[in-house]
Amino acid sequence: MSMQLRREWTPFIRKRYALVALLPAVILLSVFVLYPLVLLVVESSTNGFEAYGRILASGSGRKAILTTFTASLIVTAVVLVVGSVIAWTIRTTTRPWLRGVCWACVLIPFWMGTIVKNYAIILLISKEGVINTALGWLGHKPVQMMYTTPAVVLGISYSLIPFAVLTVNAVFQTIDLNLLRNAEVMGSTRSGAILRVMVPLAMPGLIASGAVVFALAVGFYVTPVTLGGAQAPFLAGLIQTNILEYFDYPAAAALAVILLVVALLVMIVAVGLVGTGSIRRAITRS
């Protein structure tokens, strides 16, 4: 009798089957990502680099570029600091109620829509908001906080802190707390142990998280328009103005290319510093 041989199971598939399985993703990526990007670059260079020259020569263009990238850097720093404190508290606390409060502070804003979060900020900083009402009770005059760059930084930071916490917490979970206790036994202070032991171990994750937060911050549209208005113009708002009011599509495309290039440069620098693995984990965990 002839014995029928069965092929041994393996988790790997042949190269030709892998290419066939990958083909739908390649088609979708080409149609919905690569093709629009090519059109964007072509549209921005319709008359050479004239659109870029007009943007850099105009005061509104320079102000939007400066405001966007400066505010995004501040947001990145604020989000990393606040997110790291919350994530470290979640990692080290022995009080279940405190860990639950921290997770609630992270997840509730994460689940809320952008409009709801912006309205919450407005209730705090508007002329009749909570902060100015409290200042009035103390005998102080109301402070103009709406339609300023700090208001935009506050709103974007409030939206992005959950992304930083989720990413950094995953990094902190890999750190052995006994290392910090050993450092304290050897004579280090608590803050010294954190700075000399925890921070270097978490640095790749912090850099990766910062790159992701910056890339998200530069593309915000609703929050700068709602909380900043004309006083804190972001590139996303200027792009909309060029499309809907001026019908200047080359200028809008050039602004979008500038936004994309800067975000990509930040990601490339982060990849060079920490490697693709940390960036991939930061994106998937956030």
Side-chain angles (χ1 to χ4, degrees), residues 27 31 82 92 97-98 134 149 175 215 218-219 249 271 274:
I27 293 175
V31 172
V82 176
T92 58
W97 66 267
L98 180 57
T149 300
I175 297 177
V218 295
Y249 299 110
V271 168
V274 303

Side-chain angles (χ1 to χ4, degrees), residues 79-90:
V79 167
L80 280 181
V81 171
V82 176
S84 297
V85 171
I86 297 175
W88 188 247
T89 302
I90 293 173

Side-chain angles (χ1 to χ4, degrees), residues 41-66:
V41 174
V42 171
E43 181 69 31
S44 67
S45 56
T46 301
N47 299 318
F49 294 99
E50 185 263 343
Y52 295 94
R54 283 192 290 110
I55 291 171
L56 297 177
S58 67
S60 60
R62 292 196 303 270
K63 183 178 181 180
I65 293 173
L66 180 62

